[in-house]
């Protein structure tokens, strides 16, 4: 039985006062029931503060990015062992904003994936197609390639504790969402692709959906058989909306 997972990706938003208020409301909510793990990913600089705030909470936290190296002369970067040191449980990898704005390649993302696994942090591998790729019928080809490159570099066993987030690029921050059927089709294809490498890993891995998830569409998305939760951007900055999304899993 796969557990549901809801991750809030705060991106480059928030400040000490707002974060505190957001976390107080989320952690005091009774919506965080059994069977659903709730995670927030603040900007790295706020991780120590978030850690402090969540000491007594069931809510977990993670990072939005990590460097592929363990340590060294990489000014401005953060390593997986440092994230582990601060108690991060998850790290987002290959988010489409990082793929496009920071030119991250599949090879580099695979390096980050390996570094996270080695440091005992669960990688959340983000994959997804652009609008042009969907219109050109390349959706699955693109996603299959993004996944294959990582599997080839890190090995399928490294996916045992990983999560995959399907995020169609055209749905991120646009208010446009994949229909539950569109999302289910891709989630199922991803699971079938992984099954070619390892059947158990394929059936146990959490595949979450991201792209304009909100409290109105969460329930129908999460009721699809291969959708195990959500990666929520904009809507995770509003405590009440985020709590409603967390409640939508059942
Ligand atoms: P969104 O972002 O929910 O604001 O579309 C999702 C994401 O980028 O992870």
């Amino acid at each position: 039985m796969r557990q549901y997972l809801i991750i809030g990706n705060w991106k480059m938003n928030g400040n000490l006062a707002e974060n505190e208020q957001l976390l107080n409301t989320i952690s005091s909510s009774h919506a965080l029931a059994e069977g659903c793990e709730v995670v927030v990913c603040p900007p790295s600089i706020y991780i120590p503060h978030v850690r402090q705030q969540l000491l007594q909470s069931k809510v977990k936290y993670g990072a939005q990015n990590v460097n592929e190296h363990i340590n060294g002369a990489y000014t401005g970067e953060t390593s997986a062992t440092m994230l582990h040191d601060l108690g991060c449980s998850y790290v987002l990898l290959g988010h489409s904003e990082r793929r496009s704005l920071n030119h991250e390649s599949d090879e580099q993302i695979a390096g980050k994936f390996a570094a996270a696994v080695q440091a005992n942090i669960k990688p959340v591998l983000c994959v997804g197609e652009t609008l042009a790729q969907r219109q050109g019928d390349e959706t699955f080809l693109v996603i299959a390639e993004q996944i294959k490159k990582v599997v080839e570099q890190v090995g399928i066993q490294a996916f045992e504790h990983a999560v995959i987030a399907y995020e169609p690029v055209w749905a991120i921050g646009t208010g446009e969402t994949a229909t539950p059927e569109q999302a289910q089709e891709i989630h199922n294809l991803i699971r079938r692709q992984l099954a070619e490498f390892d059947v158990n890993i394929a059936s146990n891995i959490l595949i979450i959906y991201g792209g304009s998830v909100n409290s109105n569409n969460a329930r129908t998305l999460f009721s699809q058989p291969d959708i195990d939760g959500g990666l929520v951007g904009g809507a995770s900055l509003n405590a009440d909306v985020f709590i409603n999304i967390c409640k939508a899993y059942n």
Side-chain angles (χ1 to χ4, degrees), residues 29-241:
S29 161
H30 297 295
L32 312 177
E34 296 295 311
C36 179
E37 179 139 286
V38 178
V39 181
V40 293
C41 293
S44 286
I45 193 158
Y46 290 126
I47 290 173
H49 181 243
V50 168
R51 174 193 196 214
Q52 207 51 38
Q53 280 229 234
L54 294 178
L55 278 178
Q56 309 295 331
S57 171
K58 280 196 274 183
V59 177
K60 302 209 164 134
Y61 55 92
Q64 299 173 13
N65 179 39
V66 71
N67 188 272
E68 59 272 37
H69 301 282
I70 293 184
N71 55 24
Y74 303 100
T75 302
E77 293 291 303
T78 307
S79 75
T81 48
M82 293 169 189
L83 296 181
H84 183 259
D85 214 11
L86 282 167
C88 288
S89 307
Y90 291 85
V91 62
L92 307 182
L93 296 180
H95 189 282
S96 80
E97 285 150 19
R98 294 206 60 87
R99 288 181 192 262
S100 63
L101 302 173
N102 300 77
H103 312 291
E104 287 188 3
S105 64
D106 288 317
E107 289 72 19
Q108 193 181 6
I109 293 161
K112 291 169 184 243
F113 193 109
V117 170
Q118 209 178 352
N120 233 341
I121 297 178
K122 290 183 184 172
V124 180
L125 175 64
C126 303
V127 297
E129 82 287 4
T130 62
L131 186 59
Q133 288 164 336
R134 174 160 283 264
Q135 285 169 342
D137 263 343
E138 294 166 29
T139 300
F140 192 59
L141 216 69
V142 169
I143 292 165
E145 196 59 21
Q146 288 170 339
I147 293 175
K148 190 173 135 227
K149 289 258 180 64
V150 179
V151 175
E152 280 175 355
Q153 210 168 309
V154 304
I156 189 66
Q157 288 311 318
F159 279 70
E160 203 175 338
H161 300 292
V163 174
I164 293 183
Y166 168 54
E167 296 206 300
V169 179
W170 48 271
I172 296 177
T174 59
E176 229 183 285
T177 323
T179 64
E181 295 72 26
Q182 280 174 325
Q184 164 60 23
E185 182 191 23
I186 303 302
H187 282 231
N188 183 260
L189 283 166
I190 293 173
R191 217 178 281 289
R192 287 189 355 227
Q193 183 194 2
L194 291 174
E196 287 170 24
F197 298 98
D198 188 301
V199 178
N200 281 335
I201 288 176
S203 66
N204 292 330
I205 196 165
L206 299 185
I207 307 177
I208 61 177
Y209 170 82
S212 299
V213 173
N214 59 42
S215 44
N216 296 321
N217 58 31
R219 194 172 292 274
T220 46
L221 283 163
F222 301 167
S223 64
Q224 299 298 310
D226 286 300
I227 302 185
D228 305 313
L231 177 53
V232 187
S236 71
L237 299 171
N238 179 313
D240 294 330
V241 175

